Amino acid sequence: MSTSGADRDTALVRGLKVLTRIAETGETNAKELAADLGLPLSTTYRYLKTLRDFDLVEEFDGRYLPSSRLSSWSGHNPTRSHLLEVGHPFLRRLSARTGRTSVLAVREGRNAVCLRQFAPDEDADIAFRTYEVLPLDRGAGQRVLLAHAPSQIIAEVVAESEEPRESLLSALQAIRQDGCAHSRSQLRAGATALAIPVIVRGEVLCSLTLAGHTERFGANTVRTLTPILAEAVEQLRGELEESC
């Protein structure tokens, strides 16, 4: 009796497990996938090649991420899909220029989501995971999104925050006035971050953040990096305006 059908089913299930694992973790490598799923490394690479051929995953420096094609299937708008497509190369260039971790985050309801990030090796312990869900009230990139969220979202997040109401509301007002946010050990101990909103046609589509260990991200560094980050925001805004 032929088992070719069963073999194909098994291959399909394994391939779907690889794809599901990448979607769940947001970013991983072949060795981690093989260990997590109990697959030979050579087999894992074979599945990854097939998934790449079908544009279901993207690969950057041996790290695999869900592709923008998956995002378009899930109903995300074209701008969000474009963010996913350009995000990693854009952040990689920004990190190369600044020597800091670069993060693109978007708001999803009363949370933020790390859409894409690129972290130098020295920041690996404080970096987010791709698609990690983050609180809106802590961290520069998240607070930028909260500051420009609808009033009902702000009220709900402020009501549930551990930070005193007046203190958080004052911080959000300062972000709107200054056009940027600066945080220190709000979400990751020993981490400092600087963030600016990316505004396209009056709407905040995402936040762009530079982050790093506090000991190498002092006040002088913030002053130096602020115009560089602002320039990067304008570059990304221009790309997004063309895609809208």
Side-chain angles (χ1 to χ4, degrees), residues 19-41:
L19 180 59
T20 299
R21 187 60 178 160
I22 294 172
E24 289 175 344
T25 60
E27 183 178 344
T28 187
N29 61 38
K31 289 184 178 180
E32 291 170 349
L33 277 170
D36 289 345
L37 300 176
L39 295 174
L41 186 58

Side-chain angles (χ1 to χ4, degrees), residues 194-205:
L194 173 69
I196 298 178
V198 179
I199 303 174
V200 177
R201 298 173 185 172
E203 179 184 0
V204 174
L205 298 183

Side-chain angles (χ1 to χ4, degrees), residues 42-107:
S42 59
T43 301
T44 303
Y45 274 118
R46 187 165 66 250
Y47 288 132
L48 288 170
K49 181 182 184 304
T50 299
L51 293 172
R52 286 186 63 194
D53 289 344
F54 279 86
D55 294 327
L56 297 177
V57 301
E58 300 173 2
E59 186 266 330
F60 298 96
D61 297 329
R63 306 290 295 181
Y64 293 86
L65 300 83
S67 71
S68 57
R69 186 178 188 185
L70 283 181
S71 175
S72 65
W73 286 357
S74 68
H76 285 154
N77 60 43
T79 301
R80 179 69 60 83
S81 297
H82 186 67
L83 267 176
L84 285 165
E85 182 178 348
V86 306
H88 199 280
F90 184 89
L91 296 180
R92 181 176 180 175
R93 292 193 297 270
L94 182 58
S95 288
R97 182 179 180 186
T98 63
R100 302 301 187 276
T101 293
S102 303
V103 184
L104 272 178
V106 296
R107 185 178 64 83

Side-chain angles (χ1 to χ4, degrees), residues 18-238:
V18 170
L19 180 59
T20 299
R21 187 60 178 160
I22 294 172
E24 289 175 344
T25 60
E27 183 178 344
T28 187
N29 61 38
K31 289 184 178 180
E32 291 170 349
L33 277 170
D36 289 345
L37 300 176
L39 295 174
L41 186 58
S42 59
T43 301
T44 303
Y45 274 118
R46 187 165 66 250
Y47 288 132
L48 288 170
K49 181 182 184 304
T50 299
L51 293 172
R52 286 186 63 194
D53 289 344
F54 279 86
D55 294 327
L56 297 177
V57 301
E58 300 173 2
E59 186 266 330
F60 298 96
D61 297 329
R63 306 290 295 181
Y64 293 86
L65 300 83
S67 71
S68 57
R69 186 178 188 185
L70 283 181
S71 175
S72 65
W73 286 357
S74 68
H76 285 154
N77 60 43
T79 301
R80 179 69 60 83
S81 297
H82 186 67
L83 267 176
L84 285 165
E85 182 178 348
V86 306
H88 199 280
F90 184 89
L91 296 180
R92 181 176 180 175
R93 292 193 297 270
L94 182 58
S95 288
R97 182 179 180 186
T98 63
R100 302 301 187 276
T101 293
S102 303
V103 184
L104 272 178
V106 296
R107 185 178 64 83
E108 294 283 0
R110 293 190 298 174
N111 294 293
V113 176
C114 173
L115 197 64
R116 287 287 188 257
Q117 67 89 31
F118 185 87
D121 291 342
E122 57 266 32
D123 287 343
D125 60 320
I126 60 170
F128 299 139
R129 290 181 294 103
T130 304
Y131 293 148
E132 182 175 350
V133 177
L134 307 165
L136 276 176
D137 63 327
R138 285 180 288 157
Q142 296 80 264
R143 285 197 171 188
V144 158
L145 297 172
L146 178 59
H148 294 278
S151 58
Q152 183 61 33
I153 295 293
I154 293 176
E156 292 173 358
V157 173
V158 169
E160 295 180 358
S161 177
E162 295 180 358
E163 183 168 344
R165 179 177 183 276
E166 293 306 319
S167 173
L168 181 52
L169 288 174
S170 177
L172 297 178
Q173 177 64 25
I175 290 170
R176 289 189 289 269
Q177 291 177 346
D178 298 341
C180 64
H182 177 227
S183 65
R184 182 171 179 173
S185 295
Q186 285 186 354
L187 191 57
R188 295 283 201 268
T192 291
L194 173 69
I196 298 178
V198 179
I199 303 174
V200 177
R201 298 173 185 172
E203 179 184 0
V204 174
L205 298 183
C206 62
S207 61
L208 184 59
T209 301
L210 288 173
H213 284 98
T214 298
E215 62 265 23
R216 63 187 194 96
F217 209 136
N220 289 335
T221 302
V222 171
R223 284 192 291 271
T224 300
L225 292 181
T226 297
I228 296 175
L229 182 59
E231 178 184 336
V233 165
E234 284 303 301
Q235 292 173 352
L236 184 57
R237 184 183 62 79

